[in-house]
Amino acid sequence: MTTRPGLRERKKAKTRRLLQQEALRLFVAQGYDHTTVEQICDAADVSPSTFFRYFPTKEDVVLMDDPGPLPEEPEPADAADPAKPPADDAVRDTLHDLLARRVGPDPDTTLARLRLAARVRPLRARLWQHQEAQVTHTAALLARRAGRDADAYEIRLGAAVLVAVTTETLMYWAERDGEPDLTALFARALDRLAGLGLRPAGPAGPTCPTGS
């Protein structure tokens, strides 16, 4: 059973959404470079110090979302087996969660934000800087579903792949103004990721070249 957030959390979420909405409106109306944090704050009727409590930089008001807690998952029955590779359904479910969290309840607003990120170089650069935190978050979820340690190399590698696939797919979608259908794009991504495996390396793995 999901617990409803308290009044303080709801007010914070409302302020965050308002700042993002006003920022996007101003960026579209007068351009990203010509919009200041002070103008965004005036439009949202908050102080600059409030803005920076939610968003470290101007870029983040477009790109940063509150990820919230990880979805509740039952403990895998075979979590003690370190040799079990994550099943395809663990990969599929985690990719689905990444998509749902990145798109959110308003795909049209997300599309507008990503279109802006595709056009503005500082936004695109900042988007990729967010990857590390997303990989950590995703690794925790994938590990729990797969019955593995979140710090295992295979899990971290798999999480990095899933985050990169999500970001690149969303940018591809945004650069083409929402075409093709996002669900179809992610179905294609899952086809490519089928059998990802993430199996622990055996004792006779490939040798990394070190030069002569």
Side-chain angles (χ1 to χ4, degrees), residues 49 54 81 91 93-94 114 133 167 177 179 191 209:
S49 62
Y54 289 91
D81 179 6
V91 173
D93 292 346
T94 302
L114 289 171
T167 297
D177 292 323
E179 296 291 341
D191 285 343

Side-chain angles (χ1 to χ4, degrees), residues 131-162:
Q131 296 290 84
E132 185 174 357
Q134 292 172 15
V135 168
T136 300
H137 191 86
T138 302
L141 184 55
L142 183 59
R144 190 165 64 191
R145 284 176 168 157
R148 296 285 308 281
D149 183 347
D151 199 40
Y153 171 71
E154 294 80 15
I155 291 293
R156 291 178 61 177
L157 182 63
V161 169
L162 291 175

Side-chain angles (χ1 to χ4, degrees), residues 177-200:
D177 292 323
E179 296 291 341
D181 178 74
L182 193 54
T183 302
L185 279 178
F186 270 81
R188 289 167 61 184
L190 279 171
D191 285 343
R192 303 302 185 272
L193 292 170
L196 187 61
L198 309 180
R199 187 183 299 276

Side-chain angles (χ1 to χ4, degrees), residues 2-19:
T2 303
T3 303
R4 187 186 183 204
L7 178 61
R8 178 180 176 84
E9 288 72 23
R10 296 201 303 274
K11 285 183 175 180
K12 288 173 66 176
K14 183 177 180 180
T15 300
R16 171 185 284 272
R17 286 195 302 271
L18 179 61
L19 283 166

Side-chain angles (χ1 to χ4, degrees), residues 68-100:
L70 291 173
E72 290 296 328
E73 294 285 339
E75 189 70 19
D78 52 0
D81 179 6
K84 176 179 172 55
D88 283 347
D89 59 354
V91 173
R92 181 196 64 235
D93 292 346
T94 302
L95 186 62
H96 179 272
D97 280 347
L98 280 171
L99 173 62

Side-chain angles (χ1 to χ4, degrees), residues 78-130:
D78 52 0
D81 179 6
K84 176 179 172 55
D88 283 347
D89 59 354
V91 173
R92 181 196 64 235
D93 292 346
T94 302
L95 186 62
H96 179 272
D97 280 347
L98 280 171
L99 173 62
R101 293 157 80 83
R102 295 284 293 276
V103 173
D106 187 354
D108 290 339
T109 297
T110 299
L111 179 59
R113 290 164 62 188
L114 289 171
R115 274 199 303 245
L116 188 64
R119 294 196 306 266
V120 178
R121 187 181 298 274
L123 287 174
R124 189 154 192 152
R126 186 67 172 166
L127 178 68
W128 287 101
Q129 288 177 6
H130 287 170

